[in-house]
Amino acid sequence: MQALFSQDARTIADRLGDALVTAIVKGDIASGSKISEPDLAQAYRVSRGPLREALRRLEGLHLVSRVPHAGARVVTLGLEELVEIYHIREALEGMAARLAAANMREEERRALTQLLDLHEENIEQSQGREYFQREGDFDFHYRIIQASGNQRLIDLLCSELYHLIRMYRYRSARMTARPAVALAEHRQIAAAIAHGDGEFAEMLMRKHISTARRNIERQFRAAGE
Amino acid sequence: MQALFSQDARTIADRLGDALVTAIVKGDIASGSKISEPDLAQAYRVSRGPLREALRRLEGLHLVSRVPHAGARVVTLGLEELVEIYHIREALEGMAARLAAANMREEERRALTQLLDLHEENIEQSQGREYFQREGDFDFHYRIIQASGNQRLIDLLCSELYHLIRMYRYRSARMTARPAVALAEHRQIAAAIAHGDGEFAEMLMRKHISTARRNIERQFRAAGE
DNA sequence: AGAGCCTAAATTGTCAACAATCTATTAAAT
DNA sequence: ATTTAATAGATTGTTGACAATTTAGGCTCT
């Protein structure tokens, strides 16, 4: 019965993979930069074997792109790809909201509202401190997705698609710049879910995400490209 | 400028990955079976290094599940997971059909109809020869997805989600058992796309996939579990 | 007889050296 | 002077051996 809760039930490649994901998402490893296997291996004090396995996983997450015999680069997310992802989010999170309205327990619905109360406080008193700007929105969507009950959908959105979105948010300092508007939309969605109105929740979620997509498009054009 | 079109511009791990995907999908490697790295490596005449990298990719495709220090197993697709995937297909391929109706060129619309003519021939004269039963349906959906123009959506459906569906089709000998019905639905979808009616195409596609899902549920219950 | 522990074999995870490929620099030729 | 080709360096891909962990078998004890 090895260690009760062993310090590494997981393998080096797995932990390294997680570490690299957050490093890329947070920008510690610059987007677009080339990845040198010897350098990275030394930086994380691991061998190239586990590193290559971890990179294979990141490739599957579309966080790095590999060219055989030429090496791996951190992806650069352009407007094009971001818009594509938001269109997919629109379809999938709309579906998640509908399912959440059908499946959420009373306790979860209350917790969802309380989460938004917390967000409101943070918006007021700190004018959007970084963390809540970035991860708070994610928390809200995350809970709804979780409540969908569709495990494959959960994996798809939370473990395979959201990294790129978080990556974008860490790069664009103040993304929406309108946390109050987003909060109001969140409240509407939460209300629809609270009432068990799945159709309406789906509609509101789709509109919410499509609005966010348009903001991104506007922001990109304003930024020159 | 190495070989003009070199026999292996790709790496061993990449080719091996593809080989393993098809082997699993076609059932050459039994679903649920444990994967022995030494055995598999010897069977494919490769070393364990590339094999492990390939397995990492298959893990990302949800074709194998790994347990640290315990090994990898080929996934067994239960009704639960299959239904989840079909719900996701409903949302995503509905969206793909809508986009295809907006984006398809005249030539592609004709080709789509011709493809269905070909399917009709094969259904009549061969009473559903295996290949067309299995891959023909895929071809139809494949073209519509491709025409969506959303590269991320294309990857998601064609490279990350469809393997499991094909795997199911290879296992259940005669799946729908109603190729004629499916063909009729395909014709309706193609017609809607031909007329550029995206909303209707989406609706029909969703209904088509939801019908397929119910057939699978019925079939599973009939099969005992 | 059955449960639990211990030992041993097999398997997975990791590492470091070797081979193959690409990139950059330098030299040569037009 | 610019382009092309060749060479050297660095980097990626691959291999086989080593270490750590798990599983199966047998033994002991209750």
Side-chain angles (χ1 to χ4, degrees):
Chain A
M1 80 289 281
Q2 78 293 11
L4 263 55
F5 51 104
S6 62
Q7 70 269 24
D8 57 358
R10 298 189 306 163
T11 182
I12 289 185
D14 292 330
R15 280 176 299 167
L16 178 61
D18 289 352
L20 289 179
V21 167
T22 60
I24 289 176
V25 166
K26 295 200 171 184
D28 296 339
I29 301 179
S31 110
S33 65
K34 186 173 183 323
I35 290 179
S36 162
E37 290 184 5
D39 292 356
L40 245 194
Q42 195 175 10
Y44 283 84
R45 307 299 172 83
V46 296
S47 195
R48 278 182 55 214
L51 173 61
R52 284 177 63 86
E53 291 187 23
L55 287 179
R56 286 281 176 185
R57 181 171 141 217
L58 295 208
E59 187 187 10
L61 294 175
H62 294 88
L63 283 175
V64 307
S65 65
R66 274 173 152 277
V67 179
H69 299 281
R73 305 192 79 89
V74 180
V75 296
T76 62
L77 27 65
L79 176 59
E80 195 84 12
E81 292 145 348
L82 217 40
V83 167
E84 287 186 354
I85 290 175
Y86 267 73
H87 274 117
I88 293 172
R89 277 187 71 191
E90 203 174 315
L92 292 185
E93 292 201 39
M95 167 181 159
R98 174 164 40 85
L99 293 173
N103 297 342
M104 259 195 179
R105 326 174 116 213
E106 200 53 42
E107 157 200 348
E108 293 173 297
R109 296 173 207 266
R110 266 199 308 269
L112 193 63
T113 304
Q114 285 172 3
L115 177 68
L116 294 181
D117 293 341
L118 180 65
H119 287 179
E120 185 159 17
E121 282 182 38
N122 280 98
I123 290 173
E124 287 173 356
Q125 76 183 31
S126 68
Q127 277 142 330
R129 239 186 20 248
E130 294 180 6
Y131 175 80
F132 286 95
Q133 277 278 41
R134 276 201 278 264
E135 303 293 347
D137 181 82
F138 180 66
D139 287 344
F140 177 75
H141 288 266
Y142 188 81
R143 292 204 190 182
I144 291 175
I145 294 164
Q146 289 288 336
S148 74
N150 186 322
Q151 188 56 49
R152 190 60 193 251
L153 180 67
I154 295 170
D155 287 354
L156 194 48
L157 285 172
C158 296
S159 310
E160 297 173 23
L161 215 57
Y162 256 78
H163 296 305
L164 286 171
I165 297 167
R166 290 176 58 208
M167 186 170 162
Y168 164 70
R169 288 188 181 170
Y170 268 93
R171 288 196 179 356
S172 66
R174 189 73 66 269
M175 69 248 74
T176 45
R178 294 185 185 154
V181 175
L183 178 66
E185 293 175 351
H186 284 181
R187 287 222 183 266
Q188 285 185 312
I189 295 169
I193 290 176
H195 289 102
D197 189 343
E199 300 296 322
F200 194 40
E202 171 165 10
M203 205 195 89
L204 290 172
M205 179 62 90
R206 293 186 76 116
K207 198 166 179 60
H208 173 57
I209 292 174
S210 122
T211 300
R213 188 193 70 233
R214 272 190 292 274
N215 278 341
I216 290 174
E217 290 176 323
R218 205 162 36 74
Q219 187 175 330
F220 256 74
R221 305 207 193 294
E225 196 234 338
Chain B
M1 79 290 283
Q2 77 294 12
L4 264 54
F5 51 104
S6 62
Q7 69 270 23
D8 56 357
R10 298 188 307 163
T11 183
I12 289 185
D14 292 330
R15 279 176 300 167
L16 178 59
D18 289 352
L20 289 178
V21 167
T22 59
I24 289 176
V25 166
K26 295 199 171 185
D28 296 339
I29 302 179
S31 112
S33 66
K34 185 173 184 322
I35 290 179
S36 162
E37 291 184 5
D39 292 355
L40 245 194
Q42 196 175 10
Y44 283 85
R45 307 299 171 84
V46 296
S47 195
R48 279 182 55 215
L51 173 60
R52 284 177 64 84
E53 291 186 23
L55 286 178
R56 286 281 177 185
R57 181 172 140 219
L58 295 209
E59 187 186 11
L61 294 175
H62 294 88
L63 282 175
V64 307
S65 65
R66 275 173 151 275
V67 178
H69 298 280
R73 305 192 79 88
V74 181
V75 296
T76 63
L77 28 65
L79 175 59
E80 194 84 12
E81 292 145 348
L82 217 41
V83 166
E84 286 187 353
I85 290 175
Y86 268 73
H87 274 117
I88 293 172
R89 277 187 71 189
E90 201 174 317
L92 291 185
E93 292 202 38
M95 166 181 161
R98 174 164 40 84
L99 293 173
N103 297 342
M104 259 195 180
R105 325 174 118 215
E106 200 54 40
E107 159 200 347
E108 293 173 298
R109 296 173 207 266
R110 266 198 309 269
L112 194 63
T113 304
Q114 286 173 3
L115 177 68
L116 294 181
D117 293 340
L118 180 66
H119 286 179
E120 184 159 16
E121 283 182 39
N122 280 98
I123 289 173
E124 288 173 355
Q125 75 183 32
S126 68
Q127 277 141 325
R129 241 191 13 252
E130 293 181 7
Y131 175 80
F132 286 94
Q133 276 278 40
R134 276 201 278 264
E135 303 292 349
D137 181 83
F138 180 65
D139 288 344
F140 177 76
H141 289 266
Y142 188 81
R143 291 204 190 184
I144 292 175
I145 293 164
Q146 289 288 334
S148 73
N150 185 323
Q151 188 56 50
R152 190 60 194 251
L153 180 66
I154 296 169
D155 288 354
L156 194 48
L157 285 172
C158 297
S159 310
E160 297 174 25
L161 216 57
Y162 256 78
H163 296 304
L164 286 171
I165 296 166
R166 290 176 57 209
M167 186 170 162
Y168 164 69
R169 287 188 181 169
Y170 268 92
R171 286 193 181 357
S172 66
R174 190 74 65 267
M175 69 249 76
T176 43
R178 295 186 183 152
V181 176
L183 178 66
E185 292 175 350
H186 284 181
R187 285 222 184 267
Q188 286 184 311
I189 294 169
I193 290 176
H195 290 101
D197 190 343
E199 301 296 323
F200 194 41
E202 171 165 10
M203 205 195 87
L204 291 171
M205 179 62 89
R206 293 187 76 117
K207 198 167 179 60
H208 173 56
I209 292 174
S210 126
T211 299
R213 188 193 70 233
R214 271 189 293 272
N215 278 342
I216 289 175
E217 289 174 324
R218 204 162 37 74
Q219 185 175 332
F220 256 75
R221 305 209 193 290
E225 195 230 340

